Amino acid sequence: MTSALATVDAVYRSESRRVLATLIRLLGDFDIAEEALHEAFAAAVEQWPHEGVPANPRAWLVSTGRFKAIDRIRRRAKFDVSLEDVVEQVESIPDPTPEADNEGVEDDRLRLIFTCCHPALAPDAQVALTLREVCGMTTEEIARAYLTSPATVAQRIVRAKAKIRDARIPYEVPGRTELPERLESVLRAIYLVFNEGYLATSGESLTRHDLSGEAIRLGRLLVELLPEPEAVGLLALMLLQESRRAARSTEDGELVLLGDQDRTLWNHEQISDGTTLVEGALRTGGAGPYAIQAAIAALHAAAPNAEATDWPQIVALYDVLLAIEPSPVIELNRAVAVAMRDGPAVGLTLVDALLARGDLADYRLAHAARADLCRRIGRADDARSAYRRALELTQQASERRFIERRLAELG
């Protein structure tokens, strides 16, 4: 019995999201599919210890979940005649064979990702729904990750599901003509998850490995199911950035800037994988923003030390990136790279022009960049003023301590 229960637990951890994706396709409703998933595993806990583990556990769970859902809908239909059509529709769905389950499960997972990230949904709802349905995170876990309440996360998920239902958003991978727009939503949602894990916007911890790890897992899944160049580029970018995790903070959680990091702590397996992926994405031609950013990250990773960084090539890549995706944040990153290539005074001129436009007036990293450039050219008063503004805008504890140390050094 203990062995069978351990198998149920292992199957839940490895297969539950695949089973859910197929049940959503068969049943056409997120909530009904989730109820069916839990009932199917409850049945497995009850039956497998006595009847043995089936040869194809996933197919057994899908079949059991479907029948449990039909029974539940039948019971509800006795009190709600509006469900009669639903009963007829669900009963008409054939019980999937093990062969069909094995062949279609990955397509079901891809459909689920695209449904959760449909552009009709708000970006925060896309992220919450993806973490809940594709990754299996609880509302409490998502709330802790984004420093909000479980009730707020639950409301986002409920609204997203209602939108999918009421707008009749199809549970499908879009056709080639729709794919660019729809893929962009998927990639953006995954990258939002990664960014919050790579550099938490607030809280005590600089990073959240659970979130960046989930984003990379999603990126790998997407590349496996849909190896489009930008999906490959995003996975490469996440791997290359994640490779620096161990060196980005001290043992007691203090921030370490890129130029000061111990590069022997970088994860060279992730660097190798990310570099190979971005080279492949660039060879396809017409590389998009994620692939270009990954190429920039690869140049940082290739430098044996900060002084050896190929800043001219990085500036050139930022020029390409700006041409295809104009953005004040990208302009800021380019300005910092120019400062490393041509000197801090040249970079400061660019940063000041950006801030004068007002686009980044409330962006903490713009003021932190200005402060650092002013510090490097000896403008102590301007540096102090910029650091104080950055401190006002910073909620992340380790970033705040770093800025406070810089201010103390300036006296």
Side-chain angles (χ1 to χ4, degrees):
M1 177 177 291
T2 302
S3 175
L5 292 176
T7 300
V8 174
D9 183 63
V11 170
Y12 184 86
R13 282 185 276 106
S14 65
E15 301 287 355
S16 62
R17 309 331 289 174
R18 292 180 173 90
V19 173
L20 177 65
T22 299
L23 286 172
I24 292 173
R25 171 175 59 83
L26 293 173
L27 302 171
D29 184 280
F30 277 84
D31 293 330
I32 293 174
E34 286 181 354
E35 292 172 355
L37 173 72
H38 295 307
E39 290 190 341
F41 273 99
V45 169
E46 182 179 339
Q47 297 179 36
W48 290 7
H50 305 290
E51 301 174 6
V53 177
N56 189 328
R58 184 170 64 219
W60 187 96
L61 289 162
V62 169
S63 178
T64 301
R66 172 184 170 275
F67 282 119
K68 294 287 186 183
I70 291 172
D71 288 342
R72 178 182 288 270
I73 294 171
R74 281 175 180 156
R75 291 194 299 270
R76 289 166 56 189
K78 293 179 181 179
F79 306 98
D80 187 348
V81 294
S82 67
L83 290 174
E84 290 179 357
D85 291 341
V86 178
V87 175
E88 183 177 347
Q89 177 185 352
V90 172
E91 287 183 334
S92 69
I93 298 170
D95 190 22
T97 64
E99 292 75 17
D101 174 62
N102 285 331
E103 292 169 1
V105 66
E106 300 305 343
D107 286 341
D108 288 336
R109 299 178 81 192
L110 191 56
R111 290 187 189 101
L112 181 56
I113 292 173
F114 273 95
T115 302
C116 290
C117 297
H118 194 282
L121 305 178
D124 58 356
Q126 291 179 14
V127 171
L129 195 60
T130 299
L131 289 175
R132 178 71 190 93
E133 306 300 336
V134 182
C135 300
M137 291 176 67
T138 66
T139 53
E140 290 77 13
E141 289 171 333
I142 300 168
R144 284 197 299 271
Y146 286 91
L147 298 175
T148 187
S149 70
T152 298
V153 172
Q155 288 171 0
R156 289 174 183 170
I157 293 172
V158 167
R159 286 196 297 266
K161 290 177 179 178
K163 178 74 171 182
I164 290 169
R165 181 186 64 247
D166 297 343
R168 299 182 182 275
I169 291 174
Y171 182 68
E172 64 183 14
V173 178
R176 284 289 163 184
T177 57
E178 300 174 304
L179 188 59
E181 177 194 4
R182 294 285 303 280
L183 182 60
E184 182 180 346
S185 297
V186 172
L187 297 177
R188 183 179 63 249
I190 293 174
Y191 198 40
L192 284 171
V193 174
F194 177 81
N195 274 341
E196 185 60 28
Y198 178 74
L199 181 60
T201 53
S202 57
E204 287 297 322
S205 178
L206 180 67
T207 62
R208 285 289 312 276
H209 180 61
D210 54 343
L211 285 180
S212 57
E214 281 295 342
I216 289 172
R217 188 182 71 81
L218 278 172
R220 289 190 188 279
L221 174 62
L222 189 62
V223 168
E224 178 184 343
L225 303 178
L226 192 70
E228 294 287 327
E230 268 296 79
V232 175
L234 174 58
L235 177 56
L237 174 60
M238 293 190 296
L239 286 170
L240 288 161
Q241 289 182 324
E242 184 72 0
S243 71
R244 301 195 292 267
R245 170 182 293 279
R248 292 181 60 231
S249 60
T250 63
E251 290 185 1
D252 53 358
E254 298 305 321
L255 174 66
V256 180
L257 297 181
L258 176 61
D260 299 323
Q261 289 174 12
D262 179 356
R263 301 188 178 213
T264 64
L265 297 177
W266 289 1
N267 186 318
H268 294 283
E269 181 178 351
Q270 289 180 325
I271 291 173
S272 177
D273 289 347
T275 302
T276 299
L277 286 167
V278 70
E279 288 173 350
L282 293 175
R283 279 196 298 270
T284 64
Y290 292 114
I292 299 299
Q293 291 177 74
I296 293 170
L299 286 172
H300 283 296
N305 51 62
E307 293 72 23
T309 304
D310 189 347
W311 290 110
Q313 185 63 26
I314 288 174
V315 172
L317 285 169
Y318 273 123
D319 289 339
V320 174
L321 187 58
L322 272 173
I324 60 178
E325 191 175 79
S327 157
V329 173
I330 294 173
E331 285 187 70
L332 175 65
N333 293 336
R334 179 186 179 277
V336 172
V338 168
M340 298 303 296
R341 184 190 67 179
D342 300 335
V346 178
L348 180 60
T349 300
L350 298 175
V351 172
D352 281 343
L354 267 172
L355 288 169
R357 275 179 12 210
D359 295 331
L360 300 178
D362 295 325
Y363 187 52
R364 72 193 194 285
L365 296 181
H367 295 282
R370 183 177 194 275
D372 181 65
L373 294 172
C374 288
R375 180 186 63 84
R376 288 165 58 189
I377 60 176
R379 289 169 50 178
D381 289 343
D382 289 335
R384 276 190 289 267
S385 177
Y387 275 130
R388 290 191 185 106
R389 179 57 178 151
L391 192 60
E392 291 174 359
L393 297 169
T394 300
Q395 295 180 311
Q396 214 289 316
S398 59
E399 284 189 13
R400 291 184 62 84
R401 291 193 297 270
F402 179 86
I403 294 171
E404 287 166 352
R405 288 196 299 274
R406 286 290 203 220
L407 279 167
E409 291 169 2
L410 287 169

